[in-house]
Amino acid sequence: MKPTPLSLRKKLALELWRQKENIVREEHPLKQLFWECTLRCDLKCRHCGSDCKMQSESKDMPKDDFLHVLDSIAAKTDPHKVFVIISGGEPLMRRDIEECGRAIYEKGFPWGMVTNALHLTPQRWQGLLQAGIHTMTISLDGLEEDHNWMRGNEQSFQMVSQAIDMLVRTEGFVFDIVTCVNRRNYPKLDDIKEFLISKGVKRWRLFTIFPVGRAALDPDMRLTNEEFRGVFDYIKKVREEGRIRADYGCEGFLGNYEGEVRSRLFSCQAGVTVGSVMSDGSIAACASIRADYNQGNIYEDDFMEVWENRYHPYRNREWMKKDECAQCKYFRYCRGNGMHLRDGDGKLLLCHLHRLQETD
């Protein structure tokens, strides 16, 4: 399938966006900081790009080690403008996660969490609220049978459903539900949508599989080309309905779907406005990046010194202009796709635009 040329209006929007993003790359203000607080996880999800286990060989990072990073940041920038996102593994595997959140909040940093909700009991939810949690992202990959199949746990859907009810009842609390679209749940997206709307959910984020981790070899995870395009047509339709705000995930330049399936145009913010501290102390960017593009380690380097003076592979993407990207006329907008879609040798694992143009 040949790509449909971009409309003049879309080209103008992308050019303005590109100019704005050039300024952001030059200034690289730290806006989000992921903390991979543990590698332990109580589920074994079919699509997971990590290597998380119930009992990880790696110990959880001590709370105080991460708080030293926040001190480094607060010395150079306003902590109220840097959002800390606690991730894992599964953060709720840590018994002290409420204490961690409270300490982050007391240092002036707003914070949120990404969780599978298996241990999000009413008691823990109240503890998180008292610790100042601002936002939460919870995964839901289908109704009961499909979600539990995906997550490998018969209690998972029930706990997610209960968690959604608690979050909806908390007035003013901002959260979203994220769904991994796969071959099994693709025909049932409407069922998921109606379930979320019936629960009172306002924000729904959908993403597709990229070939890393367990998903790389699982045929049930990989959509056909027709289904892949169908995801974007579906999101566009849901956005037009206006009953729930649906967004595609932040990855991938989508050609003519840009501006129609998410609330901003594509740009990979890894290492530009997004940093991370991994469980072993590595200073990295987006927590989805599994290849080694680490820029230092908190046990050897000052985080803000690294942030200000390194991250060159993230901020100047010209090195990506090779292989299938070398002659692509959309590279000026895409800049080589997301960093999490590059392997350790810099090879692109997935081009969304090419995938949209392929036929089965």
Side-chain angles (χ1 to χ4, degrees):
M1 177 181 294
K2 293 183 178 180
T4 303
L6 296 175
S7 67
L8 178 59
R9 181 179 179 183
K10 194 147 293 186
K11 282 184 178 179
L12 288 173
L14 287 166
E15 283 297 333
L16 290 172
W17 179 256
R18 186 178 71 88
Q19 293 172 25
K20 175 181 175 292
E21 286 301 300
N22 285 341
I23 296 173
V24 173
R25 287 175 185 276
E26 183 67 26
E27 297 178 349
H28 52 263
L30 180 64
K31 295 182 178 180
Q32 286 187 332
L33 180 68
F34 284 89
W35 178 29
E36 187 183 57
C37 70
T38 182
L39 282 179
R40 291 182 293 147
C41 187
D42 42 7
L43 297 179
K44 191 174 182 180
C45 304
R46 299 179 71 95
H47 68 298
C48 185
S50 303
D51 188 24
C52 302
K53 302 177 177 66
M54 179 71 78
Q55 297 295 331
S56 173
E57 296 177 0
S58 301
K59 293 182 179 180
D60 297 349
M61 178 179 286
K63 168 176 64 73
D64 289 341
D65 293 357
F66 181 68
L67 294 179
H68 288 318
V69 173
L70 298 187
D71 290 337
S72 168
I73 295 171
K76 297 289 182 65
T77 191
D78 183 354
H80 298 90
K81 296 181 179 180
V82 180
F83 199 96
V84 175
I85 302 172
I86 301 179
S87 67
E90 170 49 50
L92 290 173
M93 293 288 286
R94 288 185 64 135
R95 295 183 178 180
D96 67 343
I97 201 64
E98 295 88 348
E99 180 182 338
C100 294
R102 186 175 301 109
I104 293 168
Y105 182 72
E106 289 174 351
K107 286 187 176 292
F109 292 83
W111 69 280
M113 178 186 294
V114 179
T115 178
N116 61 39
L118 192 61
H119 291 299
L120 191 58
T121 62
Q123 293 76 18
R124 296 211 75 178
W125 174 234
Q126 289 303 311
L128 292 171
L129 286 174
Q130 292 168 12
I133 191 170
H134 283 63
T135 67
M136 181 173 283
T137 292
I138 296 178
S139 297
L140 177 74
D141 297 311
L143 300 188
E144 187 162 12
E145 182 179 352
D146 291 335
H147 176 83
N148 290 344
W149 168 83
M150 185 77 154
R151 299 284 161 174
N153 185 292
E154 293 181 354
Q155 300 301 315
S156 183
F157 178 83
Q158 177 183 343
M159 291 303 295
V160 169
S161 180
Q162 174 181 292
I164 291 174
D165 290 339
M166 291 190 296
L167 272 59
V168 168
R169 286 196 300 266
T170 306
E171 186 175 355
F173 188 78
V174 178
F175 71 97
D176 69 345
I177 301 300
V178 62
T179 296
C180 168
V181 184
N182 56 75
R183 296 221 65 195
R184 181 161 171 156
N185 67 13
Y186 173 78
K188 307 171 188 177
L189 292 178
D190 255 348
D191 295 336
I192 301 172
K193 179 193 71 175
E194 294 301 330
F195 172 77
L196 295 177
I197 292 173
S198 72
K199 286 280 193 176
V201 174
K202 304 298 184 184
R203 294 172 175 85
W204 184 27
R205 183 155 40 102
L206 300 91
F207 70 99
T208 48
I209 288 298
F210 52 93
V212 174
R214 296 174 191 146
L217 302 176
D218 190 339
D220 290 322
M221 294 296 102
R222 183 176 173 83
L223 300 172
T224 66
N225 295 318
E226 182 180 359
E227 291 167 341
F228 187 74
R229 288 188 294 274
V231 170
F232 304 107
D233 290 327
Y234 180 77
I235 295 174
K236 183 179 176 181
K237 182 186 74 171
V238 173
R239 289 172 67 88
E240 290 169 350
E241 289 175 353
R243 298 171 63 214
I244 187 172
R245 195 182 91 175
D247 286 281
Y248 185 61
C250 62
E251 65 180 35
F253 177 71
L254 305 174
N256 278 300
Y257 286 108
E258 287 296 324
E260 298 179 354
V261 296
R262 53 190 164 206
S263 301
R264 54 179 287 160
L265 299 177
F266 171 71
S267 65
C268 176
Q269 294 296 305
V272 179
T273 63
V274 178
S276 69
V277 175
M278 308 305 281
S279 61
D280 63 355
S282 295
I283 298 173
C286 170
S288 294
I289 300 171
R290 308 318 303 181
D292 186 1
Y293 289 99
N294 299 334
Q295 299 296 296
N297 193 289
I298 65 168
Y299 296 112
E300 300 172 359
D301 305 292
D302 176 77
F303 180 89
M304 283 305 288
E305 189 279 329
V306 172
W307 180 259
E308 291 297 336
N309 299 299
R310 302 187 197 178
Y311 284 91
H312 304 303
Y314 292 89
R315 295 168 187 168
N316 184 348
R317 306 286 180 91
E318 288 300 310
W319 64 271
M320 294 182 176
K321 205 168 186 179
K322 59 182 181 180
D323 302 327
E324 61 185 297
C325 295
Q327 303 300 322
C328 181
K329 62 181 179 181
Y330 297 117
F331 185 87
R332 63 191 292 105
Y333 309 130
C334 177
R335 299 179 194 262
N337 215 326
M339 283 289 287
H340 68 292
L341 295 173
R342 297 275 168 173
D343 67 14
D345 296 321
K347 182 180 178 181
L348 182 62
L349 300 174
L350 170 66
C351 172
H352 287 68
L353 189 59
H354 284 184
R355 185 86 203 278
L356 287 168
Q357 297 162 10
E358 291 175 352
T359 57
D360 293 311

